Amino acid sequence: MDRNFKEDVEYPKTLDRLDPLRQFTHRFYQTKGEIYLCGHSVGLASIDAEKSLNDLLEVWKKEGVRIWMYNNYQYVKYSSLLAELMAPLIKVQPNEIVISGSCTSNIHVAMCTLYKPTIKKYKVLVDDINFASDRYAVDSQVRLNNLAPSDAVKVVRCQGSFMKEDLIINSMTTDVALLLLPAVYYKTSQVLELKRICEKAHELGIIIGLDISHAIGVIDLDLQILNIDFAVWCTYKYLNGGPGSCAGLYMNKKHFKLSPGLAGWYGNKDENRFQFKQEFDHQRNANGWQIGTPSLFSMAPLKGSLEIFNEAGINNIRKKSLHITAYLMYLIDTKLVHYGFSVGNLREDEKRGGHVSIIHVDAQRISLSLKSRGVVTDFREPDIMRVTPIALYTTYLQVYEFVEILLYIMKSKTY
């Protein structure tokens, strides 16, 4: 897409008319007079997600306990149904995906199965700028194995604003058993060069885990090529599954023979689950890592949302995301640098995710001023405003208007 951007107000209107994804904007609920730029945190509700949720509610109202038998056991196998829709987003087989729990609980589920420390190979490699909950889970799993995090958790220290892949690779020593890294960093939007990292980890026999929460739904991922062992992600950000919607877990099919470290009745084989045998007989696919009964109301909106993704195509979503965020960065460079703003993410397409990190010394106060004017962004310490034009529902005109509101705030000093 052409990036000879212009500053005038007519230019974004032209881009909106030419936008190949423009028809999806009207399938999302947006508050009149508000500019929503926080889809990296919680995505907006769609008409499609609402219908999926209401369909479930109607079946429950009519069928009661018979909901489990409805439409050839559709809701018993609901995770598998969603996995079919989710698989194209990360290029894996549907039976390698289970929709269950939360992102953090799925780290526990995966590590309980795959983290098997020995005397010589026991360390878990992490970094110091990933989302903190991932680290909490890692430390917890290390303690459950009677090890001390101070010894068994090896932390790659970021030097500067962005993580250098060489620091991670050089930290992969023979005593590292497992690594857990983000595909995209939640503050800076940096995309790691995963191919290099994974190739080195494979050489050393390191179990590879990725948190793809800030990547799935905005980046065209291929986990099959990377050949990682597991991945976790939440579904309420770019996937628009709703606040607290059930998370995803990818388990590489090469591990299907392993018995899940955290077992529960819903991980048992379908054909004998209701025989209630006292010995666990796990499903030889990702569904074997389910624990309890599915949280249907936390899963249903995902069906409608994922259908939108499959209709739009993740490649088209990524193209628009890169273009509309490049337009935002252009406007920052041309209109806002004089007021102390700068872009806090990398500029190369292959090195940035879906949000733009805007840096300003008064970012927190400016964020509050934006909120009072109907603009929804968020703030992260110490000086970052995260701003996300979502490909499926943000218009170029909204991006232009956001920058104009920022200009007014700075000129009037109302922050």
Side-chain angles (χ1 to χ4, degrees):
M1 298 174 75
D2 179 24
R3 294 193 184 180
N4 295 315
F5 299 125
K6 300 176 182 178
E7 293 183 46
D8 63 279
V9 68
E10 294 304 316
Y11 180 71
K13 295 177 183 178
T14 300
L15 290 179
D16 285 331
R17 286 194 297 272
L18 298 174
D19 179 10
L21 299 179
R22 63 188 180 279
Q23 72 270 25
F24 295 102
T25 302
H26 304 293
R27 285 162 66 174
F28 288 84
Y29 289 99
Q30 299 200 54
T31 302
K32 188 176 181 179
E34 180 178 275
I35 300 175
Y36 192 84
L37 297 169
C38 211
H40 57 269
S41 187
V42 175
L44 288 179
S46 66
I47 294 170
D48 304 65
E50 180 185 45
K51 182 180 184 302
S52 295
L53 183 58
N54 285 337
D55 287 348
L56 171 63
L57 186 59
E58 289 303 313
V59 175
W60 177 37
K61 284 159 63 175
K62 181 180 179 182
E63 302 291 344
V65 71
R66 292 171 299 178
I67 190 173
W68 298 114
M69 284 74 79
Y70 178 80
N71 193 22
N72 193 28
Y73 298 90
Q74 171 183 325
Y75 292 113
V76 171
K77 301 177 285 189
Y78 210 45
S79 174
S80 296
L81 184 152
L82 296 178
E84 291 278 351
L85 297 169
M86 190 86 73
L89 300 181
I90 55 177
K91 310 295 188 299
V92 299
Q93 296 300 311
N95 70 346
E96 294 177 295
I97 296 174
V98 60
I99 308 301
S100 180
S102 68
C103 186
T104 304
S105 69
N106 284 341
I107 294 173
H108 286 286
V109 167
M111 285 191 67
C112 273
T113 303
L114 300 176
Y115 177 53
K116 302 298 180 185
T118 64
I119 293 174
K120 292 185 177 180
K121 200 174 186 68
Y122 65 96
K123 293 192 176 183
V124 180
L125 187 68
V126 298
D127 66 85
D128 65 346
I129 55 172
N130 190 10
F131 193 69
S133 192
D134 290 14
R135 176 66 184 279
Y136 303 158
V138 166
D139 286 3
S140 175
Q141 286 296 315
V142 163
R143 291 190 189 97
L144 286 172
N145 281 275
N146 297 314
L147 298 169
S150 58
D151 174 43
V153 179
K154 188 172 187 178
V155 183
V156 181
R157 306 289 177 185
C158 184
Q159 299 174 7
S161 299
F162 305 104
M163 178 60 68
K164 294 178 175 61
E165 285 82 0
D166 285 342
L167 289 175
I168 296 172
I169 290 170
N170 292 337
S171 298
M172 292 186 199
T173 46
T174 56
D175 55 358
V176 174
L178 182 148
L179 66 80
L180 179 63
L181 296 168
V184 177
Y185 283 100
Y186 77 101
K187 277 191 178 182
T188 63
S189 197
Q190 178 188 357
V191 177
L192 281 176
E193 193 177 342
L194 294 172
K195 187 173 182 292
R196 282 183 61 213
I197 292 170
C198 291
E199 285 174 352
K200 183 63 176 179
H202 287 310
E203 284 179 21
L204 296 172
I206 297 171
I207 294 291
I208 304 169
L210 295 178
D211 183 339
I212 60 172
S213 295
H214 283 270
I216 189 167
V218 70
I219 291 179
D220 195 1
L221 294 165
D222 194 327
L223 299 189
Q224 195 164 31
I225 285 180
L226 294 176
N227 193 26
I228 65 172
D229 295 278
F230 74 94
V232 297
W233 61 94
C234 56
T235 60
Y236 50 78
K237 299 181 187 296
Y238 293 101
L239 295 180
N240 311 308
S245 54
C246 285
L249 169 65
Y250 160 75
M251 184 65 68
N252 191 310
K253 59 180 176 291
K254 66 186 177 185
H255 298 306
F256 286 175
K257 63 183 181 296
L258 300 177
S259 183
L262 291 176
W265 85 301
Y266 235 80
N268 198 87
K269 287 181 178 177
D270 288 338
E271 54 266 33
N272 60 23
R273 180 181 299 130
F274 279 90
Q275 293 176 16
F276 301 112
K277 295 180 178 180
Q278 292 300 302
E279 292 186 1
F280 181 60
D281 187 11
H282 86 277
Q283 298 184 62
R284 298 303 198 267
N285 55 48
N287 285 313
W289 278 265
Q290 289 184 99
I291 299 174
T293 305
S295 302
L296 294 180
F297 285 100
S298 294
M299 300 166 75
L302 264 176
K303 180 177 180 291
S305 182
L306 290 171
E307 287 169 348
I308 292 177
F309 276 90
N310 282 287
E311 187 179 340
I314 188 60
N315 187 50
N316 295 325
I317 290 170
R318 178 60 169 161
K319 283 180 181 177
K320 181 184 172 182
S321 174
L322 287 171
H323 191 260
I324 197 169
T325 48
Y327 175 57
L328 172 57
M329 290 188 289
Y330 163 81
L331 292 177
I332 293 168
D333 291 340
T334 55
K335 295 190 174 190
L336 294 175
V337 290
H338 306 297
Y339 296 93
F341 290 95
S342 62
V343 172
N345 53 265
L346 296 168
R347 301 292 185 122
E348 301 93 329
D349 285 358
E350 69 276 10
K351 293 183 179 180
R352 60 188 180 90
H355 75 268
V356 175
S357 294
I358 302 178
I359 307 295
H360 195 281
V361 66
D362 286 313
Q364 187 171 20
R365 290 195 291 174
I366 295 168
S367 294
L368 293 173
S369 191
L370 283 167
K371 182 180 178 181
S372 70
R373 286 163 176 77
V375 180
V376 184
T377 61
D378 69 9
F379 167 77
R380 289 293 179 267
E381 294 284 355
D383 56 4
I384 299 173
M385 288 190 297
R386 297 189 302 176
V387 178
T388 304
I390 295 292
L392 288 171
Y393 55 76
T394 306
T395 66
Y396 287 88
L397 183 59
Q398 286 176 317
V399 170
Y400 176 87
E401 289 171 343
F402 160 68
V403 172
E404 289 299 303
I405 291 170
L406 264 182
L407 268 175
Y408 171 80
I409 288 171
M410 301 312 294
K411 289 178 179 179
S412 62
K413 298 184 178 180
T414 50
Y415 62 94

